[in-house]
Structure formats: structure tokens, C-alpha cells
């Protein structure tokens, strides 16, 4: 079974369409949240994910769209984009977001936006990764939220290894080890590589592959300008931060 794992699409339909073009018809799709926020196509992104995803969990921007959760702590550009998002999201798409949960568990993996239990915690170092491993018994934990593609591996001896996946790469899953895999962001990468990111988990081959890919950034920037969204949201796509 192959599962495509996408996160932090952030209303970037041009990048999401590029991912979909790389998928096989029989690939399952898992979404780690933050479908909306920042970008110019929230309805299109929600509709695509709704139609295709096997499982989707809530991100903090999705919850903000529903009920203003955390909006006071958003930076000004994020807040302005969220107000715009709320003004254009259809009632049907909002209701679908409101129907989602914070986690999705299968025997071999767990989906959460930021971290197990503390769903919107940012995992940025080994101590945070250690807390995440302790909070669940899932062999593989898929996360997004930081928009940084990377992997933490908990070895049988209790040690934790870390590797960036800024240029993509394949993780070979070994028996007895556990994995915390950040698939990076489809819609707004922040690990200094403007190429977008998604994961592909092959449960038969026991691999997770992170693919970095080009998408039409200029087209998204034009749409951000047309929607009168903050210019900083367009500029950051080009530098990947
Ligand atoms: Zn995000």
C-alpha cells in the first residue's frame, strides 16, 4: 500500500495539483492539516483534499478558520490572510473542516499536525522529539506544522538520530526503530528550499520518500497580489522561508 502524506497546503492549489499529478490512482492520501491560511485558493484546496483524502487531521489554521482559535497570536500577515480566508470559504467547506479530528491512528502510524497529544506543539529538536515518542506507541508519527522536512529516528537502544530532508530523500524503516517524520509543506516551505515537499509511505517496501518539487510559484504570487493578500506571503515562497 502506498500513502501520499501532505501537510500545510495553505491554500496553494498550484502546488497541490503538482502533487496530485505525481500520484497513482490507487495511492491513498493522508493530510496533516493547515489546508487553508496564507494562500489564495482555500476553497479549491479543501475541495481537492475532501474528494481524495483517506484521512485528514486539523491544523491550527484550519481551527482558526472555524472559530478564530489562536488568531490573537498570529503574526499580522497571517491574521490578515485568515480574515480574508474566512470571508471567502464556503459554508460547506467550513462545515467539512469543522467535522475533522485532531489525530488519526492506524496500527502502523499516527497522523497529527504538530505533535501527539499537544497537537500544535512545534517539534524543533531532539528533546521535543523524545516527548513525542513517549506520548504514543505508534511506530511512525507523521507531522507537519513547522514546514521543515526532517526525520527523527528512535533506535532500540533509546538514542535519537536526526536528519534534514531539505533536498528530499528516502528513509528505510528498520524493525525495532520508531520514526517521527515531518513531510514538509506543500504550500509554503520554510527550510530554505523553495521547492515544495510531500511524503510517500510505502508500507510494503517499508520506505518513506520525501520528494521536493517545483511548482509555478509566479502564478501563485500573482494570485496573492490579485486577492490583495500581504506581499510578504508572496515573497517568502521564492526563498522558502
Ligand atoms: Zn502551517
Amino acid at each position: 500500500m502506498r500513502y501520499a502524506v501532505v501537510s500545510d497546503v495553505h491554500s496553494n492549489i498550484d502546488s497541490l495539483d503538482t502533487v496530485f499529478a505525481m500520484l497513482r490512482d490507487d495511492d491513498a492520501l493522508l493530510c496533516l492539516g493547515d489546508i487553508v491560511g496564507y494562500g489564495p485558493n482555500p476553497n479549491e484546496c479543501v475541495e481537492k483534499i475532501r474528494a481524495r483524502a483517506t484521512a485528514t487531521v486539523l491544523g491550527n489554521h484550519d481551527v482558526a478558520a472555524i472559530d478564530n482559535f489562536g488568531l490573537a497570536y498570529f503574526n499580522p500577515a497571517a491574521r490578515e490572510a485568515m480574515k480574508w480566508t474566512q470571508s471567502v470559504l464556503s459554508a460547506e467547506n467550513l462545515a467539512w473542516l469543522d467535522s475533522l479530528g485532531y489525530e488519526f491512528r492506524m496500527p502502523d502510524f499516527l497522523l497529527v499536525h504538530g505533535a501527539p497529544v499537544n497537537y500544535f506543539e512545534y517539534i524543533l529538536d531532539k528533546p521535543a522529539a523524545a516527548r513525542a515518542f513517549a506520548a504514543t506507541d505508534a511506530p511512525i508519527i507523521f507531522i507537519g506544522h513547522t514546514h521543515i522536512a526532517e526525520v527523527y529516528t528512535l533506535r532500540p537502544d533509546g538514542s535519537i538520530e536526526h536528519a534534514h530532508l531539505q533536498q528530499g530523500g528516502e528513509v528505510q524503516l528498520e524493525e525495532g526503530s520508531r520514526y517521527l517524520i515531518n513531510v514538509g509543506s506543500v504550500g509554503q516551505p520554510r527550510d530554505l528550499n523553495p521547492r515544495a515537499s510531500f511524503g510517500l509511505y510505502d508500507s510494503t517496501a517499508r520506505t518513506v520518500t520525501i520528494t521536493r518539487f517545483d511548482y509555478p510559484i509566479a502564478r501563485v504570487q500573482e494570485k496573492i497580489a490579485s486577492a490583495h493578500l500581504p506581499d510578504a506571503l508572496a515573497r517568502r515562497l521564492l526563498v522558502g522561508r
Side-chain angles (χ1 to χ4, degrees), residues 53-230:
T54 309
T56 301
V57 297
L58 284 165
N60 52 308
H61 283 253
D62 307 316
V63 185
I66 297 163
D67 66 2
N68 293 317
F69 169 85
L71 205 56
Y73 302 100
F74 276 34
N75 66 51
R79 194 179 313 132
E80 192 181 331
M82 181 48 61
K83 300 245 181 226
W84 178 85
T85 299
Q86 290 171 328
S87 75
V88 299
L89 258 186
S90 73
E92 194 186 344
N93 287 335
L94 203 57
W96 179 75
L97 288 174
D98 201 16
S99 75
L100 300 174
Y102 290 96
E103 59 175 64
F104 179 81
R105 177 69 197 263
M106 292 284 275
D108 50 340
F109 63 79
L110 172 72
L111 312 181
V112 287
H113 184 61
V117 184
N118 298 306
Y119 300 116
F120 302 147
E121 182 187 349
Y122 292 90
I123 295 177
L124 292 163
D125 53 27
K126 287 184 182 180
R131 288 196 297 276
F133 283 121
T136 173
D137 62 358
I140 311 168
I141 310 162
F142 287 111
I143 59 167
H145 198 33
T146 63
H147 302 204
I148 293 168
E150 58 189 352
V151 54
Y152 294 91
T153 305
L154 177 62
R155 295 296 180 198
D157 67 359
S159 65
I160 292 179
E161 292 165 20
H162 170 259
H164 279 290
L165 296 162
Q166 185 195 33
Q167 306 299 333
E170 185 180 281
V171 179
Q172 181 69 53
L173 305 173
E174 289 170 23
E175 204 56 52
S177 291
R178 294 174 61 203
Y179 298 86
L180 176 66
I181 299 178
N182 192 318
V183 298
S185 173
V186 169
Q188 192 195 80
R190 291 181 194 159
D191 48 9
L192 303 179
N193 179 359
R195 301 182 90 206
S197 183
F198 81 105
L200 196 66
Y201 166 44
D202 187 326
S203 61
T204 309
R206 302 276 299 150
T207 55
V208 176
T209 307
I210 300 295
T211 299
R212 303 302 293 247
F213 59 95
D214 292 310
Y215 68 94
I217 291 177
R219 190 186 305 165
V220 181
Q221 291 179 313
E222 283 166 26
K223 288 196 274 188
I224 287 173
S226 300
H228 304 291
L229 289 163

